[in-house]
């Protein structure tokens, strides 16, 4: 049983080796640290440099879009690192709207162009206010153009409707499922899980956020991915080993990590 946590956030104050060892002891042998801004991308890069089976992504989370001042050149430096396997997380967050929408859209579009230029897949964050589909519509439009130009992406921590999952899947999207799947009210996420083609499913913790039940409310950690995988296997009525094998293989293929590095 080997799992791949395809999305978590690493901060320098966590010890890199202990952090990884704790996850590995729970079967999480591979991990990708997402970049939520320049500083966090440096931390993610550091984590990847300390652990053979870890990789990182570079990007600016929509929350921090207002602090991004067109310094994409700084991000271009990360391309020299072979552990860089994706651009993200990037996208739109109209739920919290920490950055104004126009700025979020501009930064998102700029990083999608960067992903195309680097020929790297993108990790997408998309969240709307209740009863609104504005972020989904706008993200869809940008991603449709991105996919049309050969771009690949995962909609990470998917919490939208089956309808939106279908639309993104038509663009070739992968879908990332987190510990939200264990929450009693998240029936929509369990419904989405059932309709994701098996080759497009990725598992992730989004640690330190969104700890799954029974750890809900505590600080999340990649070691809890096993509980998420168990829940996903039970929703899909398949074996745990099957989902572990499938989602790990999907992660290697999505991030184009050469097989010899497994
Ligand atoms: Zn995240």
């Amino acid at each position: 049983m080997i799992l791949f946590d395809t999305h978590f956030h690493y901060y320098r104050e966590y010890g890199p080796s202990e952090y990884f060892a704790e996850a590995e002891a729970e079967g999480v042998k591979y991990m990708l640290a997402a970049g939520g801004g320049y500083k966090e991308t440096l931390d993610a890069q550091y984590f990847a440099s300390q652990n053979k089976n870890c990789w990182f992504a570079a990007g600016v989370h929509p929350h921090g879009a207002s602090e991004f001042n067109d310094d994409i050149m700084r991000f271009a430096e990360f391309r020299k690192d072979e552990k860089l396997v994706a651009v993200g997380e990037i996208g739109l967050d109209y739920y919290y709207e920490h950055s104004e929408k126009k700025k979020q859209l501009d930064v998102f579009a700029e990083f999608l162009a960067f992903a195309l230029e680097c020929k790297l897949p993108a990790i997408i964050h998309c969240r709307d206010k209740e009863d609104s589909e504005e972020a989904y519509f706008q993200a869809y439009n940008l991603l449709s153009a991105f996919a049309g130009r050969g771009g690949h992406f995962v909609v990470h921590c998917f919490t939208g409707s089956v309808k939106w999952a279908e639309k993104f899947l038509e663009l070739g999207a992968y879908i990332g499922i987190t510990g939200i799947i264990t929450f009693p009210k998240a029936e929509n996420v369990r419904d989405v899980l059932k309709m994701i083609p098996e080759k497009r499913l990725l598992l992730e913790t989004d640690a330190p956020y969104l700890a799954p039940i029974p750890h809900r409310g505590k600080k999340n950690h990649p070691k809890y991915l096993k509980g998420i995988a168990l829940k996903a296997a039970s929703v899909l009525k398949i074996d745990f080993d099957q989902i572990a094998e499938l989602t790990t293989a999907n992660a290697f293929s999505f991030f184009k990590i050469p097989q010899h590095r497994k």
Side-chain angles (χ1 to χ4, degrees), residues 192-234:
V192 165
L193 172 62
K194 289 182 213 155
M195 47 92 50
I196 301 172
E198 64 171 32
K199 293 275 183 208
R200 309 265 203 95
L201 171 64
L202 298 179
L203 296 180
E204 51 167 300
T205 58
D206 206 11
Y209 315 104
L210 299 172
I213 286 174
H215 312 286
R216 196 172 179 177
K218 286 192 242 156
K219 191 162 149 188
N220 198 3
H221 187 287
K223 68 184 172 190
Y224 297 142
L225 190 64
K226 192 175 171 183
I228 296 169
L230 276 166
K231 180 67 182 182
S234 92

Side-chain angles (χ1 to χ4, degrees), residues 7-9 34 40 61 89 123 125 156-157 204 206-207 209:
H7 189 118
F8 73 101
H9 298 267
E40 197 189 304
H61 192 284
E89 69 180 278
I123 300 170
H125 172 109
H156 114 87
C157 190
E204 51 167 300
D206 206 11
Y209 315 104

Side-chain angles (χ1 to χ4, degrees), residues 129-174:
K129 276 211 168 27
E130 283 98 355
D131 305 324
S132 168
E133 295 188 304
E134 190 184 4
Y136 276 98
F137 270 113
Q138 293 179 340
Y140 179 82
N141 286 339
L142 285 170
L143 289 166
S144 171
F146 176 70
R149 294 174 62 197
H152 297 283
F153 64 97
V154 56
V155 186
H156 114 87
C157 190
F158 193 86
T159 53
S161 61
V162 166
K163 181 193 88 174
W164 279 109
E166 268 168 6
K167 286 177 72 72
F168 287 122
L169 285 165
E170 278 166 22
L171 298 180
Y174 280 61

